[in-house]
């Protein structure tokens, strides 16, 4: 709940400047000086982690697809920026994107209180730093699932003109699977890899973050989730930040082993025109979730993020049929039922 | 601005019951008793007007398309309901829908104050009544434009347990055109018919409501409108309600003469696969506007309206390409320019 308040309050700040495109990917998006000099600081280590994940995931996708990611890098005058990589019209994926971004902004004191619970003693705005990697990959074959992951690190500075005020930080993120057709072994494999990453840090993590994911990706007006979940967490700051950085890294590193084997198994399966249309209807649901509920998308649209990078998550094509209901007993009904009634896959 | 506050406050009330489907269209959706007995009351006359418009528009569409609208009627236990008509997979339109609805609800006192400016003396919830017709029609041919119209009447009762408290009412609505290709004569014709309807009531109406339309249908995160406008108004209550009912009726009656001739001219034009894809990209923008900004849609999703009727406005198919920009000097660039820079079409 906390982050919602922060987003709403930060969203009031529309003073973020427009980005400029860069001719090539910079080695860092951090502000020159304190941030970029402190190579062992959390900001620098997190940024290097998300750049590595971007490289690794894009390499794994290119190896299967044969296509190449296009890269767009941009920066903002006051520091921050991003590197977007997009593969469109591939042989396996119709649209796949992996974004890295670094944002420097400032939030009003109410947002700071909402985020930290700390009473702010002075009325100055609170500078914040946010860095993350986010990715959505939509394959062509309706038997092959879409995946999304996002890992981010957030810090606030002391309010302007205040020394030694509390500094807040937290990690957030998750990885979730959105199939159009239900293969139980795929869902189990995907969840098992997430659970393995979680269990190395705390056996309580997977059950908690699996449920959080089921709750978060609910399309409320449909009473169904966009897909079959995975893990999702936010506001994570109750352990040593180095341990939480290691946890976020382990989660991000689990994307390839969780997802790529499913693509290899499903990418060349035969399918019908009707199955393709069902996939397109599920893509429509994906659009509904992202445009109506997803915090990253709505926050980005409100705060003047780079639109093309934010909306990269939308599928290449989507479909809405009036009052469509799959017939009982069909594969389509089975998928829909799993989206409406989340299960424990690893019992 | 006022209506936004009302929507947000009403949205907190999620106690609206689920609808039941009816076997046939009822003669009225008004509550039995006071509302349905008062045949000359504004509620009854407005409802009969929107039912007539629904019949007229569907008949005009069927006459050109050859296909038939499917009809779904539903009601709510406490009164209210709707009649949706949808034509999907026609020969001219890939998806066309015309909805009539009647909603009985109640809003918290803050929403009432925001709507009326009147200080509420008691803390009771304020019952409201809303009735309207809304329609979106998406043709197959990319040279043929999409149209949307919506006309609605809103009333609040005295707060519960309060006698003689101020009763608020207002009219709202509009008709707007969304082409994928720019034919200046079409846009001029469409606007001229709207202007003619407006001018019979007040020469100040068209300029004011044309600008309101341009402002309302802005996709803020893109800096472009979804289409080429028309008219839009809200909160209209500063004249005799009978005159405003006549004005809303004249606007609704202008939909067929404004739109149908454009369809007749464009429905059989030749087009390429590239032109179809451009139409699909513009349909993607339509989805962005409706899911992110449209008050009717977001209000409906939040207040538990009938989902299939609300989302009937979405196109059958839509497309999102990463970082797509039409080449300068092309027909696609011309349309986009007109969406970014609204013009006075009738000077």
């Amino acid at each position: 709940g906390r982050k919602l308040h922060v987003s709403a309050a930060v969203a009031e700040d529309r003073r973020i400047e427009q980005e400029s495109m860069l001719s090539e990917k910079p080695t860092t998006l951090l502000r020159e000086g304190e941030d970029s000099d402190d190579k062992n600081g959390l900001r620098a280590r997190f940024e290097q982690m998300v750049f590595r994940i971007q490289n690794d995931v894009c390499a794994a996708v290119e190896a299967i697809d044969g296509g190449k990611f296009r890269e767009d890098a941009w920066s903002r005058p006051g520091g921050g920026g991003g590197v977007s990589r997009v593969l469109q019209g591939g042989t396996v994926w119709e649209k796949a994107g992996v974004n890295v971004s670094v944002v420097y902004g400032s939030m009003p004191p109410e947002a700071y209180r909402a985020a930290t619970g700390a009473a702010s003693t002075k009325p100055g705005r609170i500078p914040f730093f946010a860095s993350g990697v986010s990715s959505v990959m939509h394959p062509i074959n309706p038997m092959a699932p879409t995946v999304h992951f996002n890992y981010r690190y957030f810090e606030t500075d002391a309010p302007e003109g205040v020394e030694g005020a509390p500094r807040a930080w937290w990690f957030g993120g998750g990885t979730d699977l959105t199939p159009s057709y239900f293969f139980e072994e795929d869902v189990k494999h995907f969840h098992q890899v997430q659970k393995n990453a979680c269990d190395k840090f705390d056996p309580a993590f997977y059950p908690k973050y699996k449920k959080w994911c089921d709750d978060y990706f609910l399309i409320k007006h449909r009473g169904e989730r966009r897909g079959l979940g995975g893990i999702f967490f936010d506001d994570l700051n109750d352990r040593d930040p180095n341990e939480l950085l290691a946890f976020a890294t382990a989660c991000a590193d689990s994307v390839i082993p969780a997802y790529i084997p499913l693509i290899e198994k499903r990418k060349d399966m035969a399918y019908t025109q009707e199955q393709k249309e069902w996939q397109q209807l599920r893509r429509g649901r994906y659009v509904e979730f992202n445009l109506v509920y997803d915090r990253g998308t709505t926050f980005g649209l409100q705060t003047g993020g780079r639109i093309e990078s934010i909306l990269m998550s939308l599928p290449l094509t989507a479909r809405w049929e009036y009052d469509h209901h799959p017939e009982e007993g069909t594969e389509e009904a089975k998928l829909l039922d799993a989206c409406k009634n989340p299960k424990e896959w690893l019992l």
Side-chain angles (χ1 to χ4, degrees), chain A:
Chain A
R2 266 173 29 182
K3 281 301 104 33
L4 270 177
H5 298 284
V6 180
S7 295
V10 172
E12 288 167 18
D13 179 16
R14 301 187 179 227
R15 297 181 302 177
I16 295 172
E17 297 120 332
Q18 272 302 299
E19 71 273 359
S20 340
M21 301 310 291
L22 305 175
S23 57
E24 60 181 29
K25 177 185 164 184
T27 52
T28 179
L29 297 161
L30 299 179
R31 270 183 186 153
E32 277 184 51
E34 201 187 336
D35 278 359
S36 59
D37 291 349
D38 184 9
K39 304 282 183 242
N40 290 317
L42 267 168
R43 295 182 180 200
R45 282 187 290 149
F46 192 86
E47 191 203 30
Q48 290 313 304
M49 185 272 278
V50 295
F51 271 134
R52 178 183 63 75
I53 291 292
Q54 187 183 42
N55 283 340
D56 291 352
V57 169
C58 291
V61 165
E62 287 181 348
I64 293 186
D65 190 276
K68 289 281 166 205
F69 279 86
R70 155 185 170 179
E71 183 174 89
D72 287 324
W74 75 94
S75 69
R76 285 232 159 79
V83 176
S84 285
R85 290 206 192 140
V86 186
L87 189 162
Q88 202 169 265
T91 62
V92 174
W93 283 274
E94 58 183 36
K95 200 169 169 193
V98 190
N99 281 332
V100 161
S101 68
V102 168
V103 179
Y104 292 90
S106 75
M107 60 174 80
E110 316 81 68
Y112 182 72
R113 277 197 298 278
T116 63
S120 165
T121 48
K122 295 240 181 175
R125 295 178 69 86
I126 292 98
F128 71 85
F129 164 90
S131 176
V133 58
S134 72
S135 171
V136 178
M137 297 188 269
H138 296 291
I140 297 167
N141 193 309
M143 304 299 154
T146 288
V147 77
H148 158 259
F149 70 93
N150 165 232
Y151 290 94
R152 55 194 178 276
Y153 174 65
F154 212 100
E155 264 187 32
T156 59
D157 282 346
E160 284 158 19
V162 177
E163 295 279 330
R167 170 181 286 210
W169 57 265
W170 63 90
F171 290 86
T175 304
D176 70 290
L177 192 72
T178 303
S180 297
Y181 283 93
F182 177 69
F183 297 101
E184 189 164 359
E185 61 188 279
D186 290 9
V187 181
K188 285 186 169 174
H189 167 83
F190 186 83
H191 277 262
Q192 186 65 57
V193 177
Q194 310 299 319
K195 182 173 186 296
N196 294 348
C198 290
D199 284 354
K200 277 180 227 155
F201 294 84
D202 191 327
F205 277 1
Y206 172 77
K208 188 174 169 192
Y209 301 149
K210 188 270 185 196
K211 181 178 186 312
W212 200 336
C213 189
D214 287 336
D215 293 343
Y216 179 76
F217 289 105
L218 178 65
I219 304 170
K220 292 182 191 68
H221 59 267
R222 299 275 187 188
E224 65 188 52
R225 279 135 209 93
R226 74 174 185 191
L228 301 185
I231 56 170
F232 185 90
F233 57 86
D234 207 350
D235 306 326
L236 215 57
N237 67 356
D238 58 354
R239 294 177 186 229
D240 182 281
N242 294 298
E243 187 185 348
L244 293 176
L245 171 61
F247 173 57
T249 304
C251 291
D253 273 320
S254 75
V255 170
I256 295 174
Y259 179 59
I260 294 295
L262 310 186
I263 288 292
E264 283 174 328
K265 220 183 325 182
R266 307 297 169 198
K267 72 184 174 67
D268 298 319
M269 283 179 73
Y271 61 87
T272 66
Q273 180 59 27
E274 287 67 35
Q275 289 168 331
K276 184 72 187 171
E277 285 185 6
W278 170 249
Q279 177 205 54
Q280 294 294 295
L281 289 174
R282 296 309 305 168
R283 297 261 158 99
R285 299 292 204 269
Y286 210 90
V287 172
E288 287 179 30
F289 180 83
N290 281 24
L291 292 181
V292 178
Y293 301 108
D294 186 64
R295 289 182 208 171
T297 305
T298 55
F299 177 77
L301 295 181
Q302 290 168 347
T303 52
R306 182 175 180 259
I307 296 308
E308 290 300 334
S309 299
I310 297 164
L311 296 185
M312 209 175 66
S313 65
L314 299 180
L316 186 64
T317 54
R319 182 176 180 90
W320 285 269
E321 284 179 30
Y322 173 73
D323 210 25
H324 183 281
H325 303 281
E327 273 177 57
E328 242 181 280
T330 60
E331 288 301 311
E332 291 78 12
K334 206 194 281 183
L335 186 275
L336 193 56
D337 178 67
C339 293
K340 289 187 177 190
N341 305 296
K343 282 177 206 153
E344 295 304 324
W345 301 109
L346 305 178
L347 291 184

